[in-house]
Amino acid sequence: MAEKNVLIAVGTLRKNGFNEQLAQRIEVLLEGRANVSRLDYSALPLMNQDLEDPERAEVAAVREAVRQADGVWFVSPQYNASFPGHVKNLVDWLSRPLPGKGRDTAVSGGMRATVSGAGGRTATAEMRAALDALLAFVGAQVMTEKETGIALSGESWMSGTLTLSPEDEAALAAQADAFLEFIA
C-alpha cells in the first residue's frame, strides 16, 4: 500500500508556540508511515465573496494542497472556548465551491480530518468540539474518537517548551495510528 499524504494545518501564529511544537511531535510520530507536509495558509485573504471570482492564486494553492491530501490534521490552540479566527477563515475558503462550477468543487466535502490541541486545564476540549462541528458542517469526515487534547503542565508554561507526559505521548500515538487507519 502506498504511503498516505497527511497535511498538517497549524492554528497558532506563534513561531514556536505550544501547538507548533505539538505539530512537530506529530510529524515525528508519522515519520516513515506517511508523507507529511504543512499547509501554509498565511496568505489567504479574509473570506469575501467579492474575492472569489476569479480564483486567487493563494486560494487555489491551499485548495490544491488539501485536495492532494488523504487527510488533514488540524493542530490548534483554544481561543475563548473556540478556535482562532484564521482557522475559521481557512475552513470557510475550503467550504466554498468555485463560482459557477457546482457544489462538488468545495474541497471540504469528503475531506478526512482530525484535531489536536494544547492549552489550559480543559486541554482544548471546547476548541476541538467546535472545530469538529464546523468541519462536519462543511462536509468533512472527522475522526473524533481518538482526538488528543493536551493540558499544558506548569513546567511547559514556565519554560515555553511543550512537555508531554507518558499519557499524552500514548494518546497522541494512538491518534496517529487511528488517523492513518481512518484515511486508508
Side-chain angles (χ1 to χ4, degrees):
M1 180 172 74
E3 280 190 349
K4 294 296 180 175
N5 296 311
V6 176
L7 187 61
I8 297 178
V10 181
T12 186
L13 298 177
R14 293 179 60 205
K15 296 282 186 246
N16 195 33
F18 295 119
N19 286 281
E20 168 58 32
Q21 294 174 55
L22 183 58
Q24 292 170 12
R25 182 69 191 121
I26 291 165
E27 288 173 333
V28 170
L29 286 170
L30 295 174
E31 189 175 317
R33 301 168 51 190
N35 298 313
V36 181
S37 57
R38 293 287 188 101
L39 180 62
D40 180 1
Y41 60 100
S42 61
L44 281 181
L46 292 176
M47 178 59 221
N48 179 340
Q49 285 182 294
D50 291 339
L51 302 180
E52 287 186 292
D53 195 15
E55 184 180 31
R56 293 170 170 255
E58 57 272 24
V59 174
V62 166
R63 287 177 172 160
E64 185 58 24
V66 170
R67 194 176 288 112
Q68 294 302 314
D70 296 300
V72 180
W73 193 325
F74 290 84
V75 183
S76 181
Q78 178 168 299
Y79 289 4
N80 296 319
S82 192
F83 44 83
H86 52 274
V87 173
K88 171 71 163 65
N89 189 57
L90 166 63
V91 175
D92 286 345
W93 277 110
L94 297 176
S95 73
R96 301 291 296 175
L98 296 173
K101 303 287 184 182
R103 185 73 197 132
D104 61 340
T105 61
V107 296
S108 62
M111 174 180 71
R112 292 175 184 250
T114 195
V115 180
S116 294
R121 70 181 182 279
T122 66
T124 68
E126 297 91 345
M127 177 281 294
R128 288 179 286 117
L131 187 51
D132 288 344
L134 174 63
L135 291 168
F137 181 81
V138 299
Q141 297 175 33
V142 186
M143 186 195 84
T144 60
E145 60 276 355
K146 295 274 187 183
E147 289 183 345
T148 305
I150 307 295
L152 294 166
S153 66
E155 178 185 340
S156 291
W157 287 115
M158 294 299 291
S159 68
T161 301
L162 179 67
T163 303
L164 298 176
S165 69
E167 295 81 14
D168 293 336
E169 287 280 2
L172 203 56
Q175 184 177 5
D177 292 344
F179 194 52
L180 289 174
E181 186 175 319
F182 183 71
I183 64 175

